[in-house]
Amino acid sequence: MPEFRPRTVYVTYIAAAPEKVWQALTSSEFTRKYFWDRDIEIEPRLGGAFALKLPDGKVNVRGKVIAWDPPRKLSVTWQVEWPEDFRKLPECVVTYELAKAGEAVRLTMTESHSWNVPEAILSGGRMGWPAILSGLKSLLETGKVPAIQMEPPREMIEAIRKL
Amino acid sequence: MTDAAKNSSFVYVTYIRTTPQKLWQALIEPEFTRQFWAATTQDCDWKVGSSWKLMIPDGRVGDAGEVLEIDPPQRLVLSWRNEFRPELRAEGFSRLTYLLEPQGEMVKLTVTHEMPHPGSQFIEKVSGGWPIILSSLKSLLETGESLEATRRWPEGV
């Protein structure tokens, strides 16, 4: 595997047990609520298949499990398959790390890339992750995910078209 | 994004289910900051040019600066220098911007902390602190309870 370097890191602290946060990261019952309606399919083992699917069944992201250590570390390769333009992007790696922090859990999301990815392309994830993980925190702490209105990541879409 | 070769910067975005008015109040009023910001309070009259101090519960001044811009409940810009650790104080003044934008039933809060030189130790320190403080602020406004770990000033600091 090529070398993947962290380019975007987001940290949030959630008042919940690590097992609960792990469950929210890996089961559709939760992802549907905070990850923009996506279902997650993940084989719970190293080398297992991973996918995020849209409500119509279309595959949004596909990858492989490269670290599986519940409830501490999950790492997957991440190839965007839809929208179609995004297939041009080389796969990246998304890693979630969970650690106890007093009565809360520190959740660290790291997006790592194997190429010199332009800032414009990184801007998509930098818009999306704070919204997704803010939703996850609200879901676990209040039982609800308030709607977050977001613009499409125009800068990223433009940059991908130019690749 | 800022030019990494000339600046050090930290940017954090969180979405909080509240109103801009309530979030603004939570960011400046002592009865809120004590709960989510390690028992600190701010000494300031919140006008452009006013001095600003972050007070540690034992009476020390943690950080100090002045109000550069204030437009409630949307935007607050402070100059900000650490006062209690000589190696950080020596770096001089950073710039802190809070930006509050309503988005549906949420408010998008963007916190940008910048230092006008590369490799800032001060920015590295605050990068480790802001996520837990702002996570606790979100918990406080959404659930009525801040995160337990942020309710006291850390021992020995």
Side-chain angles (χ1 to χ4, degrees):
Chain A
M1 232 165 107
E3 195 195 334
F4 285 82
R5 290 194 314 123
R7 295 299 302 274
T8 299
V9 179
Y10 190 84
V11 178
T12 181
Y13 290 74
I14 304 174
E19 292 75 16
K20 196 76 194 171
V21 178
W22 183 270
Q23 192 189 4
L25 292 169
T26 56
S27 64
S28 295
E29 179 199 340
F30 291 87
T31 58
R32 243 175 248 149
K33 293 181 185 152
Y34 71 85
F35 212 124
W36 294 320
D37 294 328
R38 277 133 177 92
D39 276 13
I40 185 168
E41 287 176 7
I42 189 160
E43 292 176 336
R45 58 178 176 83
L46 203 62
F50 154 74
L52 290 178
K53 291 188 171 174
L54 300 169
D56 64 5
K58 221 181 270 163
V59 174
N60 166 217
V61 175
R62 198 186 289 285
K64 237 185 214 165
V65 176
I66 56 173
W68 180 267
D69 180 16
R72 284 177 288 271
K73 186 175 179 182
L74 171 62
S75 196
V76 291
T77 60
W78 187 281
Q79 176 75 56
V80 183
E81 300 216 341
W82 186 90
E84 254 170 56
D85 274 1
F86 283 54
R87 286 183 196 174
K88 284 194 248 175
L89 291 174
E91 68 177 9
C92 66
V93 169
V94 171
T95 301
Y96 297 115
E97 287 165 291
L98 288 69
K100 287 280 275 174
E103 293 173 10
V105 173
R106 181 179 69 234
L107 170 63
T108 306
M109 186 296 305
T110 306
E111 189 190 287
S112 303
H113 294 264
S114 62
W115 60 300
N116 192 17
V117 49
E119 294 283 320
I121 288 178
L122 292 171
S123 72
R126 287 173 182 170
M127 277 174 66
W129 287 114
I132 291 164
L133 298 173
S134 290
L136 167 61
K137 177 173 160 71
S138 294
L139 177 62
L140 292 178
E141 293 184 2
T142 72
K144 280 178 288 194
V145 184
I148 297 174
Q149 292 161 358
M150 286 210 85
E151 301 277 302
R154 289 205 186 84
E155 205 191 336
M156 180 185 192
I157 294 166
E158 281 303 305
I160 289 173
R161 286 199 183 122
K162 286 183 204 144
L163 280 182
Chain B
M1 295 287 117
T2 50
D3 186 343
K6 293 185 190 133
N7 295 313
S8 304
S9 73
F10 172 76
V11 182
Y12 192 85
V13 175
T14 181
Y15 292 82
I16 303 177
R17 184 180 197 182
T18 187
T19 61
Q21 289 76 13
K22 280 188 194 150
L23 178 53
W24 184 270
Q25 200 184 8
L27 286 169
I28 68 174
E29 290 185 4
E31 62 266 40
F32 291 94
T33 60
R34 274 195 198 104
Q35 297 179 68
F36 71 84
W37 197 343
T40 60
T41 56
Q42 295 162 95
D43 188 351
C44 187
D45 66 6
W46 306 111
K47 290 184 192 122
V48 174
S50 297
S51 85
W52 168 86
K53 289 192 184 96
L54 184 74
M55 303 302 296
I56 298 173
D58 63 14
R60 282 178 296 162
V61 176
D63 301 84
E66 67 176 64
V67 178
L68 301 177
E69 289 174 48
I70 185 162
D71 180 14
Q74 289 156 31
R75 187 177 157 86
L76 174 62
V77 185
L78 303 172
S79 66
W80 178 312
R81 183 177 68 185
N82 182 282
E83 295 293 326
F84 75 109
R85 297 178 66 156
E87 76 283 9
L88 299 180
R89 187 174 193 277
E91 285 196 33
F93 286 96
S94 63
R95 181 184 169 93
L96 187 279
T97 305
Y98 296 106
L99 182 65
L100 290 71
E101 301 169 278
Q103 300 222 342
E105 31 174 3
M106 304 285 257
V107 181
K108 179 185 182 186
L109 171 65
T110 306
V111 173
T112 306
H113 212 151
E114 302 160 285
M115 189 65 104
H117 55 253
S120 164
Q121 243 192 85
F122 171 81
I123 294 298
E124 201 186 303
K125 285 276 180 237
V126 298
S127 303
W130 279 121
I132 192 166
I133 293 165
L134 298 170
S135 292
S136 187
L137 167 62
K138 175 172 161 72
S139 296
L140 176 62
L141 290 172
E142 293 188 3
T143 72
E145 269 192 50
S146 62
L147 297 176
E148 178 266 340
T150 63
R151 293 178 205 154
R152 282 173 302 281
W153 183 257
E155 258 175 65
V157 176

